[in-house]
Amino acid sequence: MLVHRWETPLVLGDNRIRIVVGSPEEALTWLVHEPNQSAAKWQRAWKACRAVVEGRMKTEDAKSAVQLAATR
C-alpha cells in the first residue's frame, strides 16, 4: 500500500492524550475509532482521506479536514 505522508504531521489530542498523525492513511485509522462518526466534519475528513488514497485529491489537501475533525 502506498502511503501519502504529510510534510508536517498533525498532533491531535487534549491534556490527557497526544496522537501524532502523519498521513491520510493513519488519519483513516484514527477516524474509524472516533465515537461521533455521524458528524459532518468527521464525514468530510473521511471522504478527503479516502480521496487521497484513491488518487483523487492531493495529500496536503486532506490535512485541514482531519484537523477540523479533531476539534471538539
Side-chain angles (χ1 to χ4, degrees):
M1 173 203 251
L2 179 62
V3 176
H4 305 85
R5 291 272 169 215
W6 286 321
E7 197 170 304
T8 305
L10 287 174
V11 179
L12 311 173
D14 54 22
N15 293 334
R16 299 172 294 145
I17 190 167
R18 180 179 151 186
I19 300 168
V20 179
V21 181
S23 70
E25 292 85 354
E26 291 175 5
L28 287 170
T29 301
W30 171 74
L31 287 164
V32 82
H33 291 93
E34 277 294 293
N36 193 6
Q37 296 180 0
S38 61
K41 61 185 179 180
W42 183 94
Q43 292 176 7
R44 275 192 303 273
W46 181 266
K47 288 176 184 175
C49 290
R50 290 296 311 158
V52 171
V53 171
E54 294 168 3
R56 297 181 288 114
M57 183 183 280
K58 292 181 181 179
T59 304
E60 290 294 324
D61 293 344
K63 189 175 180 180
S64 60
V66 174
Q67 193 165 21
L68 179 64
T71 60
R72 301 274 177 210

